[in-house]
Each structure stands twice: as C-alpha cells, then as structure tokens.
Amino acid sequence: MTWIWQPTEEYVERTNVWRFMQSLGFDDREAFLRWSRDHNEEFWDAMLREANVEWYTPYTQTLDTSAGVEWAKWFLGGRLNIAHNCLDRHAARANPAILWEGENGHTRALSFEELRQLTNRLANAMKRMGLVQGDRIALVMPMVPEIVAILYAAFKLGLIVVPIFSGFGAHAIATRLEDSGAKLVFTAESIERRGKRIPIAEKVTTSARKILISEWDTLLANESPECETLSLDSETPCLLLYTSGTTGKPKGCVHTHAGALAQMSKEIWLAFDHKPQDRFFWLSDIGWMMGPWTIIGNHNFGGTIFLYDGAPDYPQPTRLWQMIERHGITTFGISPTAMRLLMRRGATAESHPMPTLRLLGSTGEPWDEVSYEWFFEQAGKRRCPIINISGGTEIVGCFLTPLPIQPLKPCTLGGPAPGMCTEIVDGYLVCTKPAPSMTRGCWNSPQRYLDTYWSRWPGYWDHGDWASIDADGCWFLHGRADESMNIAGRKVGPAEVEEALMQHPAVGEAAVIGVPDEIKGETIVAFVVLRAEATEPELAAHLVEFLGPTFRPQAIRAVQELPKTQSGKVVRRLIRLQYLGEALGDTSTVENPATLDDFRVC
C-alpha cells in the first residue's frame, strides 16, 4: 500500500502539534509519542497548559491509582467547570459560537454572548425546577443550537447530561431514561428528514418532566441572563453516554468535567490543528459522542462549530458539499458509512471546489480503500489529510489518530494518540495505562465495567478491536474482536472480508458473519448492498481471488440495507443471531431494526 498524502515542511511547521513538540524539546514525532506514553502524567500536565484550561483551584496531584488502575482519578484537588472554559470566558469573542442550517435551508447564527445569555436563562429556569448537582437531565433532540445551551446550562449547575439519539424508538428511549434516572427531558415535537416530519416527543414516555423547544419562550421569559457557574471538583460527572455492548442492555459511560475537557481539547488542538478562523463541522447527532465532542473540544478554544439537522443527501446528493462552500467550513468529519451512502448516490464534487477545507476527519468503523480514496479525492481534492480517529464512547475520544505532520496511507489510523498508552496484544487493541477520559465505570453496574474492559488482562484496558501495524509503522483496525471468524484454523476479521467484497464494482456495502460449518468449523455468510447487477457465483469468485479458497463463502445474499447503530456501525452480532434463528435480545441500539427481517435464513 502506497502513501496517499505527504505534508510539506512548511505545512508541518505551521501545525499546533509541531510547535507543542518543539516546546517540549522534540523534533521527532515518534520520540514525542513515546515520551507522551512513558511519561503520561507529565504529558497531560503540559497538554492542559497548552490547551489553556482554566481552573478555579489548581490541582495538586495529576493521577491517583490507589484504588486500582480501573478506578483511576485525575487532577485531584482541582476545581473547574466546562461551561466556564467553553462559554463564559469567550463571551466577548467576535466570531460566531454556532452556525446552523436545517434541512429546509433555514439558517441561524449565535454569538458567544447570545449563547451565554440563553444558557444562563435556562440554568436559572432549571434551578427553579429544583434540580441540584448530580441530577440527570436527558436530551432527545434534533441537532439544533438549543442543545448547546442545554449542555452548558447543565454543566454550570453540576447536572449530568444524558444525550439520546432522536431516531431511537420509544422502548430504546425509555430504557435509557429509566436506567439514568433522568428528572427532566428536553425534546421537540418532531424532526424533519427528507422533507417529512417525524414525531419525537410522542416517543418520549416517562414520568420525568418533558420540556419542548416550542415552550422555551414562555419558560425563559422572566429569567435573568446572568447565572453563577459552579466551581466543581475535577471528578464531577458531566456526561452519561450510552453505548451498545455485545450482550445485555446498553452501557452508561460516566465522564467527568476535567477528563472530558482534557481529551476533547487535546484532540481538536493536536490532531485537528485548531486555528482561530476555523469552522468545524462533524456530521453527527447529539446522541453520538461526536456531538458533545465537537461542541466541547472546539469551544474550549472559542472556535466556531457548524451544526446541520437533516439528511446528508437531501434534496440533492451534493447537499454536504453545498453547505461546506456556503458556510466556509475548514474541517469536515463524517463516518465511513455516510460517505459510502454519498458515493452510491453519485455525490461527486467536481463542481464544488470547497476551497476553505483544510482537514478531513472520520470515525465510527474501519474504512474500505475504495470509499476512503473516494472521500480523499472528492471532498479533499487530494490536498486535505484524513484524520481517521478511533476510540469510543467509553473514552469520549480516540486511542488511535494520525497527526497532521505525518504521511498517510489509505484507511490508516496513524498510530497511538498522544498521551494514550495504546498497544497491540495478541492482535487486540489495548491500553496499558489509564487516561483522563476513561469512563468512571458503567452506570449502576460497576462489575459489568470491570468484566467488559479490565478482565482479559489484569491492569490493561481491553477495547475489543482487532488491530495491526504494517512495515512502515502505520496502524489499522479490522473490526470488533468479538466478531472475528475462525475459518479452518485461520482467523479473519469481518472488515477484511467486507473490504475485499467492496473492491467489486457492483458492491456498495457489505457485512459478513461466521456461521457453524462441519468441515471448517466456521464459514462465511455475506450480505451485500448492490449498486449494479452481480451474481452470487461472480461475487464468490471475486472474494476467493482476493482472500484465497479457504475463505469461499457459504452464501452471499443481496439486501436493500444493512442494520446499523446511530453512529453508523453495522450490527453483525444481531445479523448473525437473526440468520441462525436465535433470539435477538435488545435491539434498542439499532437505528433501522426493521431491516433485520431480511437476514433470516431463506
């Protein structure tokens, strides 16, 4: 695999990460990364100063593992608040805090001062409702500017925010509201998708108080635009984010003011090279961690974020390119699944030069080379590096990331992120030391947290992904380890087989599972979304050509759509259960559960 992007010396010397390295005495990227892992407490001290995080009371101890690495605490004795760092101190800035566009073309802009006053009025209203520090409030909302005010108002008061994907069904929403014990739910009557109104509020069935966006004018009419921001201990929880597991109900991941702010700010500053003039757009829902990540990480530096509420390919497949040009976006992030959708829809960008773009981003799942290069060519015009990051809801950030000072190969994740002690053990991606943003357990289930992340190798965080490093030191992911297949004694990750299938010009998307086989132990069944006509024998022969006869599939079936989570991950575990005729259990994390009907054995 050849290099696809090479930074010039001039480009490197303009980056934040290069200047940060120089200030620490490093000219070599790998030496800097080794130091950041071997001396991670020193790294995080330096990083918080670099990110200009402000403290009401400075911390006196960086890390405490006296209760075990699984229960590490960070920045002990320190007191701060995300709302102060991301909002209050930027009130006088001239650049917008938020630019927004709806699917119908309506736009809005809020300055930091306008956002501050809206946030304070809402915080005062929530105090009148009797909410106190530690209470949970939930969001079941479209991607509108009000979600930012809700986040910051809650943070000001020490409340814990529970973002929930607005596309979930009533049962999935109820599960998260019940588990979190939310006392208040912000929602809206509906969202607009492809020109149609889709109800939201009627899906929110709860004993907690519901507040609709349409009620805001009345709710906030008599509230003061001034409200004190509380000084909070560094370990005070701020976010409760739910993520799907391989078994059981969704896991609630608990994140703190200091931990989340440290991780998100580091990534926006070093990996995405934040500049004062940036306009940052990541196609996301607030229920996916990339929503809060975008908001907090950029606003710590007083940056402008762009929010879009709508379908990415409506009313034209080129909608995203149009918005990037219209709003002067400089940094654009997307999931591989969404990019493959645009590729299938023919959303070529020849007539959209997008001159302001300087960095691309992606996360959510492994790339296939065809889609990655299409993204690089169409959106980036072969001049913008793809900062392809991977981590998870459990750390509200990334374990792996390229830095903008290094050359890139298609699909690579670069290597371990600065300050993250990431390694590969027996093919598994692990972390050998705690990091500030690791979840402080699973909500209401401490043993599940230990079993999920710390039980395979004592003292090591097991992230559950297959990973590899090539001869040039580039890191790659190959899907979830719990979905790997053992075909005639040979292990293969589903992503590798899927990428091979998608090399065929007729295949737009693919998902593969392993099923029992009397001779091989396990064999492959593949499901494909076609963009042109192709026969099963033709696709099987193609796969054999790429992977060898051992991996000839038992069956290849064409389907209309693959079942996915709201973050774009294909739910192979549920596909396998459905195909084998077994009970599916919890399907609340699936955005399009009706598609599972197409995966039964014929």
Side-chain angles (χ1 to χ4, degrees):
M1 191 181 294
T2 58
W3 302 105
I4 195 171
W5 185 81
Q6 292 268 8
T8 64
E9 183 177 350
E10 180 184 10
Y11 185 100
V12 168
E13 292 176 353
R14 290 199 306 264
T15 63
N16 297 333
V17 66
W18 177 256
R19 291 196 295 270
F20 183 45
M21 285 168 50
Q22 294 266 293
S23 73
L24 296 168
F26 294 99
D27 290 316
D28 179 76
R29 174 176 52 88
E30 286 300 324
F32 162 66
L33 290 174
R34 281 194 301 272
W35 173 81
S36 79
R37 297 191 293 271
D38 295 342
H39 304 273
N40 67 330
E41 291 183 52
E42 294 175 50
F43 167 81
W44 284 106
D45 283 335
M47 189 66 242
L48 289 178
R49 290 192 297 273
E50 176 75 5
N52 195 28
V53 171
E54 291 186 1
W55 299 82
Y56 294 115
T57 304
Y59 58 91
T60 56
Q61 182 179 346
T62 305
L63 173 63
D64 176 15
T65 58
S66 59
V69 293
E70 304 90 344
W71 304 106
K73 295 181 178 181
W74 286 83
F75 313 119
L76 280 77
R79 301 188 71 84
L80 80 170
N81 194 303
I82 289 177
H84 168 76
N85 280 277
C86 293
L87 179 60
D88 297 346
R89 64 174 174 162
H90 301 305
R93 282 185 175 267
N95 61 290
I98 304 168
L99 297 171
W100 174 85
E101 184 167 319
E103 189 178 83
N104 60 8
H106 292 170
T107 61
R108 292 170 62 189
L110 268 72
S111 69
F112 277 96
E113 174 59 18
E114 290 170 329
L115 178 59
R116 187 190 72 85
Q117 292 190 27
L118 179 62
T119 296
N120 287 341
R121 287 191 172 97
L122 180 57
N124 286 325
M126 289 197 289
K127 282 197 289 187
R128 288 188 194 282
M129 296 176 203
L131 293 169
V132 297
Q133 182 176 336
D135 285 346
R136 277 77 64 204
I137 67 159
L139 309 181
V140 188
M141 292 276 293
M143 202 66 168
V144 292
E146 285 80 3
I147 62 173
V148 185
I150 296 168
L151 281 178
Y152 291 150
F155 296 161
K156 272 180 174 281
L157 304 180
L159 308 177
I160 303 172
V161 181
V162 187
I164 299 174
F165 176 47
S166 60
F168 274 149
H171 176 75
I173 294 170
T175 297
R176 289 157 176 77
L177 293 176
E178 181 180 358
D179 186 70
S180 66
K183 293 188 175 181
L184 181 67
V185 184
F186 289 93
T187 188
E189 287 87 350
S190 61
I191 59 172
E192 185 174 350
R193 289 296 180 269
R194 305 187 188 282
K196 297 179 180 179
R197 286 284 169 183
I198 302 172
I200 298 179
E202 67 182 40
K203 298 187 295 183
V204 182
T205 56
T206 175
S207 58
R209 179 172 177 178
K210 285 198 296 186
I211 294 180
L212 298 171
I213 289 297
S214 59
E215 301 171 343
W216 272 43
D217 288 346
T218 302
L219 178 71
L220 307 183
N222 298 315
E223 299 294 349
S224 168
E226 302 301 325
C227 180
E228 178 188 7
T229 299
L230 295 184
S231 168
L232 301 173
D233 183 84
S234 62
E235 285 287 303
T236 301
C238 62
L239 288 165
L240 177 54
L241 301 174
Y242 282 88
T243 183
S244 57
T246 55
T247 60
K249 66 180 183 180
K251 302 185 296 288
C253 299
V254 184
H255 296 293
T256 65
H257 275 255
L261 185 62
Q263 186 72 273
M264 296 171 179
S265 300
K266 178 203 73 174
E267 292 173 6
I268 292 297
W269 188 250
L270 298 185
F272 290 91
D273 195 39
H274 172 81
K275 305 296 185 190
Q277 70 276 14
D278 277 356
R279 294 184 167 191
F280 193 100
F281 173 27
W282 202 289
L283 186 66
S284 178
D285 184 272
I286 190 60
W288 184 23
M289 62 149 278
M290 298 307 294
W293 177 91
T294 292
I295 295 164
I296 295 169
N298 283 280
H299 278 174
N300 180 62
F301 303 104
T304 298
I305 60 171
F306 176 73
L307 305 179
Y308 172 57
D309 186 50
D313 59 344
Y314 182 86
Q316 300 91 23
T318 56
R319 176 65 184 267
L320 295 180
W321 315 144
Q322 294 170 22
M323 291 193 299
I324 288 169
E325 290 187 325
R326 186 157 51 244
H327 297 281
I329 303 301
T330 61
T331 312
F332 171 60
I334 196 169
S335 71
T337 290
M339 188 49 55
R340 284 192 289 269
L341 168 67
L342 297 182
M343 189 171 69
R344 289 207 315 274
R345 293 272 282 130
T348 55
E350 284 85 355
S351 60
H352 296 280
M354 297 177 278
T356 56
L357 267 185
R358 64 183 191 89
L359 281 173
L360 300 175
S362 71
T363 192
E365 61 187 307
W367 278 98
D368 64 278
E369 191 169 341
V370 172
S371 303
Y372 181 99
E373 295 212 23
W374 193 88
F375 184 34
F376 183 66
E377 175 75 35
Q378 295 295 323
K381 313 301 182 186
R382 307 194 71 82
R383 61 179 172 77
C384 299
I386 299 176
I387 306 301
N388 180 28
I389 62 177
S390 182
T393 304
E394 303 92 334
I395 63 164
V396 289
C398 59
F399 282 122
L400 301 175
T401 181
L403 294 172
I405 58 174
Q406 69 188 93
L408 299 176
K409 292 182 179 182
C411 308
T412 187
L413 294 118
M420 304 300 282
C421 304
T422 315
E423 295 183 12
I424 297 174
V425 176
D426 296 338
Y428 292 87
L429 186 72
V430 304
C431 196
T432 61
K433 294 180 182 178
S437 64
M438 284 177 172
T439 178
R440 300 312 195 258
C442 292
W443 188 259
N444 292 330
S445 187
Q447 190 58 49
R448 188 182 185 194
Y449 163 69
L450 296 174
D451 292 343
T452 301
Y453 300 107
W454 298 97
S455 62
R456 189 184 296 272
W457 296 282
Y460 283 17
W461 173 287
D462 172 25
H463 201 58
D465 285 328
W466 287 120
S468 66
I469 310 172
D470 75 4
D472 293 312
C474 294
W475 288 55
F476 296 86
L477 287 183
H478 308 286
R480 297 294 296 171
D482 52 25
E483 296 165 344
S484 64
M485 297 168 289
N486 193 331
I487 312 298
R490 294 187 175 93
K491 283 188 177 180
V492 63
E496 183 177 0
V497 183
E498 290 159 2
E499 180 172 350
L501 281 166
M502 285 187 286
Q503 294 289 330
H504 192 286
V507 178
E509 289 186 284
V512 301
I513 59 172
V515 299
D517 182 83
E518 290 184 359
I519 297 175
K520 297 181 178 180
E522 202 170 23
T523 189
I524 294 169
V525 172
F527 301 90
V528 294
V529 178
L530 296 175
R531 53 183 174 218
E533 187 174 344
T535 66
E536 181 176 355
E538 176 187 354
L539 295 177
H542 169 82
L543 190 57
V544 167
E545 181 181 351
F546 269 73
L547 298 179
T550 299
F551 299 102
R552 180 179 293 277
Q554 181 189 85
I556 301 179
R557 284 172 48 185
V559 294
Q560 291 297 311
E561 188 178 357
L562 300 178
K564 300 166 186 168
T565 67
Q566 77 271 21
S567 61
K569 294 181 180 179
V570 175
V571 286
R572 301 183 188 91
R573 180 182 65 88
L574 293 178
I575 291 174
R576 187 175 188 272
L577 290 172
Q578 181 76 300
Y579 186 82
L580 295 176
E582 298 177 8
L584 296 182
D586 177 33
T587 61
S588 63
T589 60
V590 184
E591 181 179 358
N592 49 353
T595 59
L596 284 163
D597 291 339
D598 295 334
F599 293 82
R600 294 190 177 97
V601 176
C602 295

